[in-house]
Amino acid sequence: MLEMPPSWPARIRALAAGELVPVPPKPSATVVLLREGAAGPEAYLLRRRATMAFAGGMYAYPGGGVDPRDREVRPPWAGPSAAEWAGLLGVDEPTACAVLCAAVRETFEEAGVLLAGPDAGTLVEPRDWAAERGALERHEVSLAEFLTEQRLVLRSDLLAPWARWVTPEFEERRFDTWFFVAALPPGQVAADTVGEADRVAWLTPAAAVAGFEAGEFGMLPPTVTVLRELLPLGSAAAARGRAVAPVLGRAEVLGDRMTVRWSGYDELTIDGEFPA
């Protein structure tokens, strides 16, 4: 069951009264890494440190914001083209390129998993990429520069589109986030320590959802919803992707009563009395 965050009621009232101008959402991407486990597919989850300004203490997937440089310079590429991805994601071609780059870069930076290879048919050989990951994280190089230097191509065929969630208009920090799924490439191992996380776990979607419902795992609505959608998945390789449309939570105010709904996701509804 979702609870109303303490900061929401006042901001919801301000938005309803026309006293709050919504912050433009920042484009971002996140990737649900999947591997085969004894009880079925397992998802890679990070628990963000409690000190993090956004979603502190929450479980999430590797992800982060779009680098504007990725709109301007396309990296070496293999798999479905940026134009094809633009159609799948419902955006223009430069945005599609930037979003795919963000997905690959953030998965590499945070999880140490590189969705790239020397060509369209092979994968990168496992090695210690700590220095290169650090340079990307510090924005010293772009993804295009890194891949070009290493003579690698971004393997867009290793990603499948899954969802797109936009942070509600009353939130202080807003993101327009594309969710992708990707099977862990053979031979690669995801990091067991991450700078922005105090715990890393591989969990079946069923175990993760059960932990959320028991109050053991904190998760934002998109995170737990994606896990619920992955419950029927029989194998990591079966995550083929699907059409995506933006999901945006909206609030209604009637006196002291507030209701926040996400269209098509009734299980996420927050409803209650919140006196001013």
Side-chain angles (χ1 to χ4, degrees), residues 65-152:
V66 162
D67 184 341
R69 292 176 294 181
D70 294 329
R71 294 180 57 89
E72 301 162 2
V73 181
R74 190 167 304 173
W77 193 285
S81 68
E84 292 176 86
W85 275 102
L88 290 171
L89 302 181
V91 295
D92 59 34
E93 195 170 328
T95 300
C97 178
V99 169
L100 265 290
C101 286
V104 171
R105 184 186 63 253
E106 294 294 329
T107 303
F108 184 45
E109 286 182 14
E110 296 192 359
V113 172
L114 183 52
L115 303 175
D119 53 55
T122 56
L123 291 165
V124 66
E125 290 291 329
R127 51 160 279 196
D128 182 2
W129 294 102
E132 290 81 2
R133 289 167 63 194
L136 283 165
E137 190 169 1
R138 293 188 298 270
H139 304 286
E140 294 172 357
V141 297
S142 68
L143 183 69
E145 290 169 334
F146 161 69
L147 292 175
T148 300
E149 181 180 335
Q150 299 297 327
R151 298 184 179 180
L152 299 172

Side-chain angles (χ1 to χ4, degrees), residues 5 20 28 54 86 90 128 152 178 192 204 206 261 276:
L20 177 68
S28 60
F54 178 76
D128 182 2
L152 299 172
W178 282 264
D192 56 10
T204 64
R261 293 188 176 90

Side-chain angles (χ1 to χ4, degrees), residues 201-248:
W202 284 99
L203 297 170
T204 64
V209 171
F212 167 80
E213 293 176 345
E216 297 173 6
F217 304 153
M219 297 181 193
L220 294 175
T223 306
V224 68
T225 298
V226 168
L227 288 166
R228 285 175 174 147
E229 292 169 342
L230 290 170
L231 286 172
L233 200 65
S235 69
R240 300 296 183 190
R242 56 191 193 162
V244 298
V247 179
L248 173 66

